[in-house]
Amino acid sequence: MTRLLLLCALLTSLACHAHPDIQRLETKAGVPVLFVAAPEIPMFIARVVFAAGSAQDGERPGLATLTGALMGEGTVRLGTDDLHARLEATGARLNTGVERDLAWFSLKSLTRRKYAEPALALASEALVQPRFDATDFKLVQAQMQASLKQQESAPAALAALAMESLLYPGHPYGQPAGGTEVSLAALRREHVQDFHRRFYVAANALVVLVGDLSQTEALRIAESLVGKLPPGTRAPKIPEVPARSEPLVHHIPFQSAQTHLSLAQPGISRHDPDYFPLVVGNHVLGATAVSLLFQEIREKRGLSYSVSSHFSPMAVAGPFEISLQTDQANTAKVRKILRETVARYIAEGPDEAALVAARDNLIGGFPLRIDTNRKLTDYLTMIGFHDLPLDWLDRYPEAVAKVSAQEVRDAFQRRIRLDTMVEVLVGPVAQEP
Amino acid sequence: MPLLLLLMIVLSASAYAAPPAATEYKLSNGLRLIVQEDHRAPVAVVQVWYRVGGSHEHDGITGISHVLEHLMFKRTRHLATGEFSRRVAERGGTENAFTAPDYTAYFQQWAASNVAESFRLEAERMQHLLLDPEEVANELKVIREERRLRTDDDPGAAAFEQILAATWQTSPYRQPVIGWAADIEQMQLEEIRDWYVRHYAPNNAAVVVVGDVKPEALRTLAEETFGKIPARALPLAKARPEVPQQGLKRLEIIDPRLRVPSLMMNYKVPGLTQVGPGEGAPAEWEIYALEVLAALLDGGASARLPRALVRNGGPALSASASYAASSRLMDLFCFEGIPREGVSLAQLEKAFRAQIARVQESPPDAQELARIKTGVIAESIYQRDSPFGQAMLIGSLIAVGLDWRLKDTYVDDIDAITPAQVQAVARKYFHDDVATIAWLMPEARHD
């Protein structure tokens, strides 16, 4: 049976309200499990998600990222080479990732038992009893140091780093996730072990499963993956982000052909009451190739290759950011057009036709957001991690359809403050603002 | 786990990885339509592939295929500028396009019921593009910004452009797809129009659809849209083979923006398009043996380069190998690495060469080869999760003149490779007379 077709056939409206059947299960130790059966391909993705993102770095910027990179590199029992060889002999793949709010540890495997069983046993061992080999630790530390050096010549990366620290002074979101030269040099293997002991625990975990499995198999897989995690305690909540009250323009002199320009402010959390008016409104403003900013800056004037605006909803207010790059000679001109366009949008709100088109795009494009196991895994991660209702996907099209031009204008006027935004410019000095 | 058990896990290839069914039609005007069904979700991806890209260009007009790709989103006889994108957006579609050395492709992803609209829109711009001088001038500005962003202000990309230009002498793969800055600067509207007229014909295109669709219905739709466009004589694609290289090529790229030194080693090797009965042409198995060799070196965390060069105190912070097996022309087997602090590029180069020599001297053992084959089979199953990826696979094979069904026999062809064959291709293809080695450094050496 197809995932969406049957449900779609029952509905006649243009907006297909079909949604994946998300089952919420729980392991014996109480770890929540979100599962969607996807029987069409003989594979599954099992992802364990922890509140162990770089927002938990504390006094040691880079620690969460370094820990995540070392997960799956050897176990207490098996050396790193040995673990990789055994795991890859089953066709399975282990992946890890570290974001600001969360870290994940993901196994992709074929579903046949003779491959899945050994893969799961190895993955579980790697998760619960990581080796954190001293040689591997030094390697990842050196790789992160090299990557910091490479960022020194990447204007986009410099702009992003500066923007984080200026938008979130004194807040965990403001620290560099990749660490600093000083913080990386100070990291020790013991810090990684402590971080793992503190955050990679049952009370801090969530399992997401998508694949060719029955509910019973799904629960068994979840149990075998996280059943041996120590109970532990939840990670502390990430503090709220204070509102800004002053404008700030920061210029980083840099030898480049283009100026990179970013304009940002703290935006919204996953639970923000203005979530839908702001996201739909941003779709009109700068999310697509038919958006206002794209038309004004690229299509009409040829001033930038890529110009866009976006919200990054997080546990607490993630950034709302507009960014573009332009020939450094055009910097002053682009700054003016950008500010005027955004100011006009905030004042006037979207015109009705553009709003309808944006809603249609979001609603009509909705099935594309969940059409693969991989994308479903991402959505389940989001729903589970942020405790969103299980029918969040189901209600998404309706919620978008209800957003009016008045609501968008009202939300943008209350929330988007051009007069207190942070502006970061990376480029030649001649354009000093 | 004991060795025996590991060996037993190796899959029997074809039994498990039965590929999804696809159907091909050829319209009377020469346009090819390939449809692969995927009924998991009520969506479809439509890709239109043209057999023209950076490698079809000559000096003075480099970047023209990419310029045309940008302009294909502008005005046509029946659609005002912006209309195309507006129509796709309001129906929930996402769209874009990409240009590569061998091809240019356009795509929409949306509800499967919109495939008819895709065909109408794509058929319209296949035959009725209008080039407005002001719009062309404006778009050339956008493309200059794109070049600044992607190449000029990115020291790694700028270096790579120089390395390709040094690697190839007569092959058009020496040209950057985005074009040399001066060529973009001087691009003429007439040249672009001419490029469009010459290359955008149904008999130079393939339409690939993967999704919740029925092949026969799409055939009818294709006849009604693309089928109405007359075939045209295509320009003669002159052969521009790479002249034989004599001895090793070396270059040093010195750019203070390169904060971290790195190494690149390019070996010119044949791919599937060079396979044939002719004298000196490679046998088909050689290409698959080179694929296995690439996986042996860098096909996962258990492969040789990460194990020997990066982990366990190896000389590199990163080390990779890649092989382009299905390009239109002879292409590269490429090694890249970043040395650890205190390791010179000379030492890193030596370490890479030692890995090549190791395969040349002794065949991989059976267990190692079995692990690689299992990975290839598993990957072919994981790949089915992405309809877009499936369409890419089909389109990119057709665009270089290969049979797209090769994707379905790939697993079996890899499975048939023996340890001795891997050693044989390592001996045959890796020598200095086909190599270009580049050292990328922030400052000149002081030795």
Side-chain angles (χ1 to χ4, degrees):
Chain A
M1 189 177 56
T2 60
R3 184 180 304 142
L4 293 164
L5 202 61
L6 186 69
L7 283 160
C8 288
L10 300 173
L11 295 161
T12 48
S13 68
L14 172 73
C16 174
H17 290 233
H19 66 108
D21 179 19
I22 304 174
Q23 300 175 48
R24 192 182 189 285
L25 317 167
E26 213 168 80
T27 66
K28 287 191 198 107
V31 175
V33 179
L34 295 193
F35 164 59
V36 170
E40 300 86 351
I41 304 174
M43 63 178 281
F44 67 87
I45 301 171
R47 182 188 282 181
V48 191
V49 184
F50 298 96
S54 37
Q56 306 296 345
D57 274 349
E59 302 295 304
R60 306 190 189 285
L63 180 56
T65 303
L66 202 155
T67 307
L70 282 171
M71 294 297 296
E73 297 286 299
T75 70
V76 172
R77 183 176 66 98
L78 300 170
T80 305
D81 291 350
D82 201 3
L83 176 73
H84 285 309
R86 285 169 191 243
L87 189 87
E88 291 184 354
T90 71
R93 294 281 187 250
L94 263 186
N95 274 301
T96 63
V98 177
E99 299 170 12
R100 196 57 90 167
D101 289 332
L102 57 85
W104 47 265
F105 175 92
S106 194
L107 174 75
K108 184 158 69 173
S109 169
L110 304 170
T111 37
R112 272 200 192 173
R113 277 199 173 205
K114 64 172 172 175
Y115 317 123
E117 292 295 332
L120 273 166
L122 291 165
S124 171
E125 189 179 328
L127 181 63
V128 181
Q129 296 177 307
R131 188 175 192 89
F132 297 135
D133 186 90
T135 311
D136 292 341
F137 170 86
K138 279 194 197 129
L139 171 65
V140 175
Q141 187 183 36
Q143 285 169 334
M144 288 175 70
Q145 278 161 336
S147 135
L148 283 188
K149 275 196 201 161
Q150 284 175 322
Q151 287 177 353
E152 289 169 9
S153 58
L158 289 178
L161 281 173
M163 184 56 91
E164 281 170 1
S165 71
L166 295 170
L167 268 189
Y168 297 101
H171 189 275
Y173 286 177
Q175 299 202 90
T180 63
E181 219 183 310
V182 174
S183 79
L184 288 178
L187 289 180
R188 298 286 173 268
R189 180 170 169 256
E190 295 71 49
H191 300 140
V192 172
Q193 290 170 318
D194 289 345
F195 191 87
H196 178 263
R197 219 173 284 130
R198 168 67 187 89
F199 293 106
Y200 285 69
V201 293
N204 209 28
L206 156 79
V207 178
V208 166
L209 263 162
V210 177
D212 180 17
L213 306 165
S214 69
Q215 186 183 310
T216 319
E217 288 169 325
L219 198 53
R220 204 176 46 77
I221 287 176
E223 201 70 67
S224 72
L225 256 182
V226 301
K228 289 184 187 145
L229 281 175
T233 53
R234 275 202 71 81
K237 274 202 163 22
I238 296 166
E240 292 297 326
V241 179
R244 295 186 48 77
S245 55
E246 297 284 324
L248 179 61
V249 179
H250 183 70
H251 185 226
I252 301 175
F254 191 78
Q255 274 307 321
S256 51
Q258 288 183 315
T259 299
H260 285 242
L261 189 163
S262 301
L263 200 54
Q265 66 163 67
I268 54 177
S269 82
R270 276 281 162 204
H271 295 275
D272 197 290
D274 289 321
Y275 181 91
F276 283 99
L278 289 176
V279 168
V280 174
N282 181 61
H283 214 66
V284 178
L285 175 64
T288 72
V290 295
S291 69
L292 210 51
L293 291 175
F294 197 89
Q295 292 299 317
E296 291 296 325
I297 289 167
R298 173 166 156 165
E299 295 300 283
K300 283 190 195 161
R301 298 179 177 90
L303 289 170
S304 186
Y305 170 69
S306 130
V307 47
S308 65
S309 64
H310 65 272
F311 284 95
S312 307
M314 290 163 56
V316 295
F320 166 71
E321 182 166 17
I322 305 168
S323 56
L324 58 82
Q325 332 76 30
T326 191
D327 182 346
Q328 47 104 357
N330 293 326
T331 306
K333 186 174 164 189
V334 171
R335 290 182 77 203
K336 185 162 176 287
I337 296 167
L338 180 63
R339 283 189 176 264
E340 282 170 3
T341 307
V342 176
R344 197 167 56 244
Y345 186 70
I346 294 171
E348 296 169 9
D351 76 48
E352 193 61 30
L355 178 70
V356 170
R359 287 194 316 231
D360 288 349
N361 180 254
L362 285 164
I363 296 168
F366 178 69
L368 283 173
R369 292 172 180 244
I370 50 172
D371 69 337
T372 68
N373 294 349
R374 175 58 209 263
K375 292 185 201 169
L376 262 173
T377 305
D378 289 342
Y379 268 103
L380 293 196
T381 302
M382 180 194 96
I383 288 169
F385 186 81
H386 295 290
D387 273 322
L388 297 170
L390 283 192
D391 62 352
W392 192 88
L393 286 168
D394 187 27
R395 293 200 295 203
Y396 179 92
E398 291 165 49
V400 169
K402 276 197 290 203
V403 172
S404 69
Q406 181 53 45
E407 281 175 289
V408 171
R409 195 173 73 131
D410 173 62
F412 268 73
Q413 288 185 354
R414 278 186 292 105
R415 304 292 299 276
I416 305 302
R417 309 305 303 245
L418 203 45
D419 55 348
T420 60
M421 277 195 184
V422 178
E423 182 174 0
V424 172
L425 298 145
V426 181
V429 183
Q431 298 302 317
E432 192 67 52
Chain B
M1 200 181 306
L3 173 64
L4 247 179
L5 208 67
L6 277 171
L7 288 175
M8 278 163 53
I9 288 178
V10 175
L11 311 173
S12 117
S14 34
Y16 197 55
T23 314
E24 170 163 7
Y25 304 100
K26 192 162 189 179
L27 307 194
S28 54
N29 60 8
L31 182 127
R32 298 168 73 182
L33 169 69
I34 296 89
V35 184
Q36 182 168 303
E37 295 180 61
D38 180 342
H39 299 289
R40 291 183 295 160
V43 297
V45 50
V46 178
Q47 296 176 348
V48 180
W49 293 74
Y50 293 94
R51 292 171 66 160
V52 60
S55 72
H56 297 84
E57 299 163 357
H58 56 74
D59 284 351
I61 61 161
T62 63
I64 197 166
S65 303
H66 173 252
V67 168
L68 181 55
E69 178 228 294
H70 274 239
L71 293 167
M72 286 285 280
F73 290 86
K74 303 287 181 191
R75 193 179 307 270
T76 67
R77 186 182 295 168
H78 304 105
L79 295 171
T81 291
E83 180 81 6
F84 191 110
S85 297
R86 197 180 59 72
R87 284 204 197 186
V88 175
E90 73 186 12
R91 291 175 184 230
T94 50
E95 55 156 359
N96 215 327
F98 45 90
T99 310
D102 295 338
Y103 44 73
T104 310
Y106 301 82
F107 66 86
Q108 297 86 40
Q109 290 174 282
W110 46 6
S113 55
N114 289 321
V115 171
E117 180 74 355
S118 271
F119 283 16
R120 283 191 291 271
L121 290 168
E122 289 293 358
E124 168 73 12
R125 68 176 167 188
M126 188 183 286
Q127 56 188 325
H128 295 312
L129 185 69
L130 299 176
L131 295 174
D132 173 271
E134 246 177 66
E135 283 181 359
V136 171
N138 196 63
E139 202 58 29
L140 285 171
K141 281 164 69 182
V142 171
I143 292 164
R144 290 202 286 272
E145 295 297 346
E146 185 179 0
R147 196 192 141 84
R148 288 181 188 112
L149 174 69
R150 289 192 198 272
T151 309
D152 303 338
D153 279 347
D154 180 339
F160 184 66
E161 191 176 80
Q162 289 192 45
I163 295 169
L164 279 189
T167 299
W168 300 107
Q169 184 171 342
T170 46
S171 167
Y173 284 167
R174 72 173 192 273
Q175 302 159 179
V177 169
I178 197 160
W180 298 114
D183 289 352
I184 301 172
E185 196 72 37
Q186 301 172 74
M187 192 125 335
Q188 301 299 307
L189 190 146
E190 294 69 32
E191 293 171 326
I192 304 167
R193 185 180 288 130
D194 183 52
W195 201 250
Y196 172 69
V197 171
R198 284 206 282 162
H199 295 282
Y200 280 56
N203 39 324
N204 205 31
V207 177
V208 182
V209 183
V210 177
D212 187 18
V213 292
K214 288 275 176 268
E216 266 306 315
L218 293 201
R219 176 202 203 151
T220 312
L221 270 175
E223 296 281 5
E224 291 164 3
T225 49
F226 300 111
K228 302 267 164 61
I229 308 170
R232 269 204 309 273
L234 297 174
L236 176 68
K238 291 185 184 172
R240 294 161 71 191
E242 176 70 1
V243 294
Q245 176 179 328
Q246 307 294 342
L248 175 67
K249 289 192 198 182
R250 277 194 180 278
L251 73 154
E252 290 181 359
I253 292 177
I254 301 179
D255 182 345
R257 297 179 304 164
L258 294 163
R259 297 293 205 273
V260 176
S262 64
L263 169 75
M264 189 165 196
M265 300 168 56
N266 288 334
Y267 289 84
K268 294 170 191 165
V269 297
L272 285 167
T273 48
Q274 279 75 54
V275 168
E279 203 180 324
E284 195 173 25
W285 68 262
E286 293 182 21
I287 310 307
Y288 292 104
L290 284 164
E291 281 276 271
V292 171
L293 176 57
L296 180 81
L297 294 168
D298 191 23
S302 68
R304 288 185 180 187
L305 295 183
R307 199 172 58 210
L309 262 51
V310 183
R311 290 196 306 264
N312 305 307
L317 289 179
S318 76
S320 65
S322 61
Y323 168 48
S326 49
S327 303
R328 187 172 72 90
L329 307 168
M330 162 97 74
D331 211 336
L332 300 174
F333 198 113
C334 174
F335 298 91
E336 283 177 88
I338 295 175
R340 228 179 246 269
E341 199 145 296
V343 174
S344 69
L345 288 170
Q347 288 166 320
L348 183 60
E349 181 185 323
K350 211 170 150 197
F352 270 103
R353 284 173 175 272
Q355 286 303 315
I356 297 169
R358 191 181 151 202
V359 195
Q360 288 171 330
E361 281 153 22
S362 53
D365 72 50
Q367 184 190 353
E368 194 178 14
L369 199 59
R371 188 171 66 231
I372 287 156
K373 289 178 179 179
T374 303
V376 167
I377 295 160
E379 208 53 54
S380 77
I381 292 169
Y382 302 147
Q383 276 176 4
R384 282 157 55 187
D385 191 34
S386 167
F388 192 87
Q390 293 284 301
M392 286 288 296
L393 215 50
I394 295 171
S396 58
L397 286 167
I398 291 180
V400 301
L402 291 169
D403 185 348
W404 58 269
R405 291 169 193 83
L406 284 172
K407 84 179 177 70
D408 298 340
T409 48
Y410 180 80
V411 166
D412 286 336
D413 288 322
I414 292 290
D415 202 37
I417 296 303
T418 65
Q421 287 177 318
V422 178
Q423 182 185 23
V425 291
R427 284 186 173 173
K428 181 170 176 185
Y429 291 112
F430 292 86
H431 48 88
D432 280 357
D433 273 352
V434 296
T436 302
I437 297 179
W439 291 7
L440 289 71
M441 303 177 284
E443 53 186 17
R445 289 184 295 149
H446 306 289
D447 57 15

